[in-house]
Amino acid sequence: MLRSLVGSEMCIRDRLQAFESGDHGCSRFAIIIHGLTEGLLGCPWVESLGAAMEPGWALVQPLVSSSYTGWGTGTVERDAAEIEALISHLAEHRGAQSVALIGHSTGCQDAVQLMQTGAGSVRSLVRAVVLQAPVSDREALSLDDNHELMLERLETAESMVATGMGRELVGELYGTAVSAERFASLHSKHGAEDMFSSDLSDEELAGRLGNMCTAGQRALKGTAEHPGLVTMVVFSMADEFVPDWVDKADHLTRLVRAMDSVVGSGEVKPVQLVGANHNLSEPCGAAAEFVTQVVKLLNQVP
């Protein structure tokens, strides 16, 4: 089946482009941050979301240095910095007044990282964040058919990072050559991308995710007067990258609690997609339910 969206390409700087569809004359932009190995139309729900969005919103799909196979030698910090540059471009050249980040898989870590370390002027523009399939790469490693080999590779990667060899390649993952630094970032406990693991304590989760609400943003330098942030956490209850021993419903509750400094404020919204897999390609209806939830959230953003 032919998949397509009509739109235009923008070039922000070298190795940073974006494809824009929807209302070209608007000042509100929903930015999709794809996961590992992905690029344009990386998830099966992208076109449906583009078609369902109300006038006044544009859908933006960035191609960052980590898109497709570039992630193997990238970092979550680099991803966040490039998304930050995109938002700055939209503000300066397109008059952006509100931004929503829609992260899928590792794109969730990118979104959280941006909302932790991005410039205050950029974070103040972000009024909504959607985290679709926020899973633990460290726990997903236990599902690999070559689990023991992967653990040995992780030990090697951590040793290489410790001895200043982190940028050298340590092997392949998902058909991509991966640096020791990236392999350790994804799979080490307390690594840079270890934000959603179920074995982290409540305090550890809050330390990583507590910035994903208005109070969390106002506690950071540069956003003391953040106009307001809502976050929606969308968990696939049959996600093939989450081990069976993880209680998904309980884990979702813990993630929401870690993000919401005022429990029950309504600023952090949990969504369970029963029977859904990681990218919502199955079952029939999962992607449509996700799109409905996202559009509902976007319609609440000023």
Side-chain angles (χ1 to χ4, degrees), residues 109-210:
Q109 280 96 327
D110 289 341
V112 171
Q113 181 71 33
L114 173 59
M115 297 308 292
Q116 288 175 341
T117 61
S121 58
V122 168
R123 287 185 286 108
S124 293
L125 289 173
V126 179
R127 304 298 306 276
V129 177
V130 177
L131 304 177
Q132 190 264 308
V135 303
S136 166
D137 292 279
R138 176 164 63 84
E139 292 179 338
L141 198 66
S142 67
L143 302 173
D144 194 286
D145 291 338
N146 298 308
H147 176 55
E148 294 302 324
L149 174 62
M150 291 296 103
L151 290 180
E152 292 176 8
R153 185 169 294 169
L154 175 58
E155 184 176 349
T156 299
E158 291 174 334
S159 176
M160 291 172 66
V161 170
T163 55
M165 300 170 59
R167 294 189 178 183
E168 296 192 22
L169 300 180
V170 73
E172 286 195 0
L173 185 66
Y174 307 135
T176 301
V178 182
S179 69
E181 179 182 38
R182 190 65 196 261
F183 199 90
S185 173
L186 285 164
H187 302 118
S188 295
K189 187 167 187 178
H190 300 146
E193 296 169 72
D194 189 18
M195 300 180 185
F196 307 119
S197 295
S198 66
D199 64 351
L200 295 176
S201 69
D202 289 346
E203 292 74 18
E204 288 171 328
L205 286 173
R208 287 157 174 75
L209 304 174

Side-chain angles (χ1 to χ4, degrees), residues 18-54:
F19 183 82
E20 178 188 356
S21 54
D23 189 345
H24 185 74
C26 70
S27 60
R28 296 185 296 175
F29 298 87
I31 300 173
I32 297 178
I33 311 175
H34 289 301
L36 303 183
T37 76
E38 296 170 346
L40 299 178
L41 303 178
C43 288
W45 42 261
V46 175
E47 304 99 301
S48 297
L49 178 59
M53 287 169 57
E54 298 286 341

Side-chain angles (χ1 to χ4, degrees), residues 177-257:
V178 182
S179 69
E181 179 182 38
R182 190 65 196 261
F183 199 90
S185 173
L186 285 164
H187 302 118
S188 295
K189 187 167 187 178
H190 300 146
E193 296 169 72
D194 189 18
M195 300 180 185
F196 307 119
S197 295
S198 66
D199 64 351
L200 295 176
S201 69
D202 289 346
E203 292 74 18
E204 288 171 328
L205 286 173
R208 287 157 174 75
L209 304 174
N211 58 301
M212 301 305 294
C213 64
T214 302
Q217 282 300 302
R218 290 177 178 172
L220 296 176
K221 183 178 180 180
T223 45
E225 298 183 4
H226 194 288
L229 174 67
V230 294
T231 296
M232 186 165 70
V233 188
V234 184
F235 214 89
S236 295
M237 304 307 283
D239 195 313
E240 64 271 27
F241 291 101
V242 179
D244 289 339
W245 43 263
V246 175
D247 184 328
K248 297 178 182 65
D250 178 70
H251 186 49
L252 175 59
T253 298
R254 294 184 65 225
L255 292 177
V256 170
R257 188 166 60 235

